[in-house]
């Protein structure tokens, strides 16, 4: 350091640093659990609900600890979180209700894997 | 500002002015609101993805019998199973796991940089910012490799009907992916992959650029002279947001 500096560097708080690494550890463990579910469970609505729940767990840790929102005052917290809750509501309803309704209205058939009647009729052709 | 404020010091209050709304600084508050609006943008992309995917034909057969077809939506772990240096070996979701690890690690180093900034520890800030930049660049490199693999496809390819030069070609052998058709599934699958991971990757790229700027600013002592490292905090918010979006992209694109 060439210039004379009167900045006082405070010592690191070991507890605080450990807290940061603890959150990182939780994020890795939750991701590992997601991998375990991905390879042991068959696809379905239950698995999707588990994945979304674990994702929200991870998002909560990132937002409240890494982004420090959990330590801001309540009004700031809610002004960020409430709009996002409405968005999540929108996503869930668009996926589950609208997506399924459009699929039903189009008469789209799922591919079942059995050799009979697997030919898809695509009206777009 | 301070001189006039001290003259009417006892008039400070939530509804009288003189204090920051939400007890957060202007810059941090605006960053939060920007991130909220950015979250809306990403939400629209995820809504589009989920809507198209849930209204497309699904594959309901056995996962072991799965083959790529343009007629139904693919199983994600059958698409993303390549790893650099392991050609032909099926390693489902391993590479994307590595990418997740890299991005979370670079988020952790960013928190450590912010923490060092609170203690006015310039050396530590510079060190952790450097690690954050390395993590960001590593992630972008991984994504470049993944895109290249996705675009080039596998040797086997898929037989499907495509439109080429304005004509329908039946039983065309498709290798890899572009915005018109792809070997993995319906055309929308590749388009959404490019759009969503691309939009996220662009955010990572911007984040790396901003990280490099604040890295140099903290290394040259600009924030030390300023008396605080709030800029690291603000950019940190953006960087964690990029990590947050990846958590969602990871779930919706690679797991579900």
């Amino acid at each position: 350091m060439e210039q004379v500096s009167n900045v006082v560097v405070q010592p690191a708080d070991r507890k605080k640093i450990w807290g940061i690494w603890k959150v990182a550890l939780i994020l890795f463990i939750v991701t590992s659990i997601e991998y375990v579910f991905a390879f042991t469970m068959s696809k379905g609505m239950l698995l999707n609900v588990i994945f979304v729940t674990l994702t929200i767990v991870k998002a909560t840790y990132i937002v409240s600890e890494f982004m420090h929102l959990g330590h801001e005052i309540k009004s700031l917290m809610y002004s960020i979180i409430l709009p996002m809750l409405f968005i999540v509501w929108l996503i869930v309803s668009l996926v589950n209700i609208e997506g399924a309704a459009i699929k039903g209205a189009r008469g789209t058939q799922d591919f079942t894997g059995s050799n009979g009647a697997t030919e898809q009729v695509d009206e777009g052709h | 500002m301070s001189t006039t404020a001290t003259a009417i010091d006892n008039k400070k209050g939530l509804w009288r002015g003189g204090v920051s709304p939400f007890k957060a600084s202007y810059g941090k508050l605006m960053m939060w609101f920007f991130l909220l609006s950015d979250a809306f943008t990403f939400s629209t992309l995820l809504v589009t993805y989920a809507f198209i995917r849930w209204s497309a034909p699904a594959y309901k057969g056995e996962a072991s019998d799965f083959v790529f077809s343009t007629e139904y939506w693919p199983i994600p772990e059958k698409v993303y199973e390549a790893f650099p240096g392991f050609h032909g070996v099926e390693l489902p979701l391993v590479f994307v796991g590595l990418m997740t690890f890299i991005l979370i690690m670079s988020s952790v180093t960013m928190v450590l940089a912010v923490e060092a900034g609170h203690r006015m520890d310039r050396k530590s800030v510079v060190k952790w910012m450097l690690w954050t930049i390395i993590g960001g660049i590593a992630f972008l490199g991984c994504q470049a490799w993944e895109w290249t693999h996705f675009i080039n496809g596998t040797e086997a390819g898929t037989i499907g009907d495509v439109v080429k030069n304005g004509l329908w070609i039946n039983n065309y052998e498709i290798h890899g992916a572009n915005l018109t058709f792809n070997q993995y599934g319906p055309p929308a699958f590749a388009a959404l992959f490019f759009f969503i991971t691309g939009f996220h990757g662009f955010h990572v790229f911007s984040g790396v650029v901003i990280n490099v700027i604040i890295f140099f600013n903290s290394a040259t002592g600009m924030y030390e002279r300023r008396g605080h490292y709030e800029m690291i905090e603000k950019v940190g918010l953006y960087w964690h947001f990029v990590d947050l979006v990846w958590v969602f992209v990871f779930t919706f694109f690679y797991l579900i």
Side-chain angles (χ1 to χ4, degrees), chain B residues 78-179:
Chain B
K78 299 283 176 187
V79 181
Y80 315 105
E81 56 166 28
F83 198 88
F86 288 87
H87 186 75
V89 186
E90 281 182 31
L91 296 163
L93 302 180
V94 173
F95 192 58
V96 76
L98 175 72
M99 287 166 77
T100 307
F101 175 78
I102 290 170
L103 208 56
I104 292 178
M105 275 317 287
S106 86
S107 224
V108 173
T109 55
M110 187 50 132
V111 187
L112 291 168
V114 171
E115 192 273 335
H118 283 309
R119 298 186 285 106
M120 299 300 289
D121 188 346
R122 177 159 87 172
K123 257 185 168 163
S124 294
V125 171
V126 170
K127 177 181 78 180
W128 291 119
M129 277 316 299
L130 191 62
W131 279 113
T132 309
I133 292 164
I134 290 169
I137 291 171
F139 180 86
L140 285 174
C142 289
Q143 206 170 31
W145 187 87
E146 206 198 9
W147 271 49
T148 311
H149 183 268
F150 191 84
I151 291 167
N152 288 325
T154 57
E155 284 99 346
T158 302
I159 308 292
D161 304 341
V162 297
V163 176
K164 237 187 164 187
N165 300 328
L167 290 170
W168 268 108
I169 303 172
N170 291 329
N171 301 326
Y172 180 79
E173 199 174 321
I174 309 168
H175 291 279
N178 56 42
L179 287 172

Side-chain angles (χ1 to χ4, degrees), chain A residues 7 9-11 17 24 28 35 39 43 55 66-67 73 75 87 91 94-95 103 108-112 120 125, chain B residues 22 43 47 50 54 56-61 71 77 92-93 97 101 108 115 119-120 161 224 237 240 251 255:
Chain A
V7 172
V9 177
Q10 279 144 16
I17 305 255
F28 289 129
Y35 269 87
F39 292 122
K43 300 259 164 198
T55 304
F66 283 2
M67 298 172 91
I73 63 169
S75 48
I87 287 285
I91 293 175
L94 275 174
V95 172
K103 193 174 180 175
T108 305
Q109 301 281 313
D110 284 338
F111 183 84
T112 52
Q120 289 288 316
H125 280 213
Chain B
F22 294 136
S43 304
V47 164
W54 257 263
Y59 178 80
K60 295 276 182 180
E71 303 291 348
E77 63 231 43
L93 302 180
F101 175 78
V108 173
E115 192 273 335
R119 298 186 285 106
M120 299 300 289
D161 304 341
E224 197 166 278
L237 283 178
H240 299 315
T251 300
L255 289 181

Side-chain angles (χ1 to χ4, degrees), chain A residues 4 25 59-60 74 107 115:
Chain A
V4 183
L25 205 64
T60 309
K74 281 227 156 54
N115 278 330

Side-chain angles (χ1 to χ4, degrees), chain B residues 1-12 18:
Chain B
M1 190 200 95
S2 56
T3 47
T4 47
T6 43
I8 42 165
D9 203 10
N10 51 355
K11 290 277 188 213
K12 262 189 199 173

